[in-house]
Amino acid sequence: MYHNWLDRWDERRARRGEEAKKVTDFILDAGRAFPGEKRIETIDEFCVLADQALSDSGFYDEPSGSSQGFERHDGWLRFPSDISTDVEENNVVWAKITESGSLDQGLVIFHHWNASARNRQIAKFFSQRGITVVEIAMPYHFERSRPGSLYADYMLSPNLGRTIQSVRQAVWDGRKLIRWLKSEGYREVSVLGMSLGSWVAGLVAAHDPGVSKVSLFLTAGSLADMVWTGRATRSIRDSLEPVIELADLRRAW
């Protein structure tokens, strides 16, 4: 029954805002994904860099000395992202805190792509059970939205490099938040992700020893396959399909 509810929820979410999604240009933009590598002109060259990043255990490690700049006020936390983009609003991370009254456990929630509201019911459910919930805004969502955009088109798009940069930024932001929670005294910190957020939460859990538990909902084995088969990402596939095969997209992402 719960799985059927999730499927119906995902279908409604996919239909929401479909009219705003347009087919856009395919762009490699390797310099965003792999700083310093701007002269990449072919998919094969891009995939070589992706292979190198895949074998680099430090690709998702945040820079040292990046623990400054946290501001907490009236149930909200804000702090600077350690990846700077050309969208000023996106460079400040916002998170909604629902207190439990205990420093025993914290839960960081990563929302789905194009989320229109935070998960108040989930936050209330866990906070009443002694778990403080922190709902982080992923890149180009909520307070971090690109001015004039109707959906989070910079978080996931046919721009291969920007998509990698956005996922990497989301992982760095999540790990920075977990480090802050630990510094505040939380004994255990878990992560929960939904849809695209499950990709980010999974990467955070895989790379950060500070994560105690992880729950992933509506996840996929491959980001490329999620885009290729998902209803909500149909416009991205329409942009990609004429110029890149699924096998190469799997390797690139």
Side-chain angles (χ1 to χ4, degrees):
M1 182 178 71
Y2 184 59
H3 288 158
N4 289 337
W5 176 85
L6 276 175
D7 287 339
R8 293 195 302 271
W9 173 84
D10 198 37
E11 179 69 16
R12 291 194 302 270
R13 180 183 61 83
R15 288 197 300 266
R16 187 187 306 132
E18 242 181 14
E19 65 281 355
K21 298 173 185 174
K22 308 296 182 184
V23 174
T24 56
D25 292 337
F26 168 82
I27 305 173
L28 288 176
D29 208 359
R32 292 189 191 275
F34 317 108
E37 301 287 353
K38 296 182 178 180
R39 297 189 178 185
I40 301 302
E41 297 180 353
T42 69
I43 293 170
D44 285 341
E45 290 176 319
F46 189 99
C47 287
V48 168
L49 294 178
D51 289 340
Q52 293 172 357
L54 185 64
S55 63
D56 178 8
S57 61
F59 187 73
Y60 286 110
D61 288 346
E62 335 109 89
S64 59
S66 63
S67 58
Q68 304 300 314
F70 286 89
E71 299 177 7
R72 182 174 180 176
H73 178 70
D74 197 24
W76 290 91
L77 181 71
R78 67 193 299 265
F79 58 92
S81 176
D82 291 324
I83 288 182
S84 180
T85 68
D86 52 356
V87 177
E88 183 178 351
E89 290 80 359
N90 182 53
N91 298 333
V92 177
V93 186
W94 288 79
K96 179 73 173 69
I97 302 176
T98 305
E99 290 281 4
S100 66
S102 169
L103 289 176
D104 189 49
Q105 297 184 67
L107 173 66
V108 179
I109 295 181
F110 296 86
H111 54 77
H112 60 83
W113 186 44
N114 295 322
S116 59
R118 287 181 167 86
N119 298 283
R120 184 175 58 183
Q121 294 91 340
I122 293 177
K124 181 179 178 180
F125 176 87
F126 284 110
S127 66
Q128 289 178 341
R129 287 156 177 81
I131 302 173
T132 293
V133 176
V134 186
E135 300 173 86
I136 189 171
M138 292 202 300
Y140 306 106
H141 287 81
F142 298 127
E143 301 83 7
R144 308 175 67 178
S145 296
R146 181 171 65 89
S149 64
L150 299 177
Y151 66 105
D153 54 341
Y154 273 19
M155 176 78 195
L156 186 61
S157 75
N159 182 322
L160 299 190
R162 192 189 292 276
T163 297
I164 291 178
Q165 182 193 57
S166 298
V167 172
R168 191 185 194 192
Q169 184 179 30
V171 173
W172 280 18
D173 296 342
R175 295 191 66 183
K176 189 171 184 176
L177 174 56
I178 288 167
R179 202 164 63 247
W180 178 83
L181 286 168
K182 286 288 189 177
S183 73
E184 290 291 296
Y186 286 90
R187 183 177 60 84
E188 288 190 3
V189 178
S190 303
V191 295
L192 183 153
M194 292 172 282
S195 194
L196 181 61
S198 71
W199 253 87
V200 175
L203 286 167
V204 169
H207 290 273
D208 200 309
V211 175
S212 301
K213 302 179 183 68
V214 55
S215 296
L216 308 177
F217 295 90
L218 295 170
T219 191
S222 161
L223 182 62
D225 284 280
M226 184 177 78
V227 167
W228 213 259
T229 60
R231 172 168 179 169
T233 54
R234 188 174 297 161
S235 63
I236 300 178
R237 174 176 175 170
D238 289 344
S239 302
L240 293 169
E241 197 165 15
V243 290
I244 186 171
E245 295 182 354
L246 177 56
D248 285 331
L249 185 62
R250 287 172 180 154
R251 189 179 168 199
W253 276 349

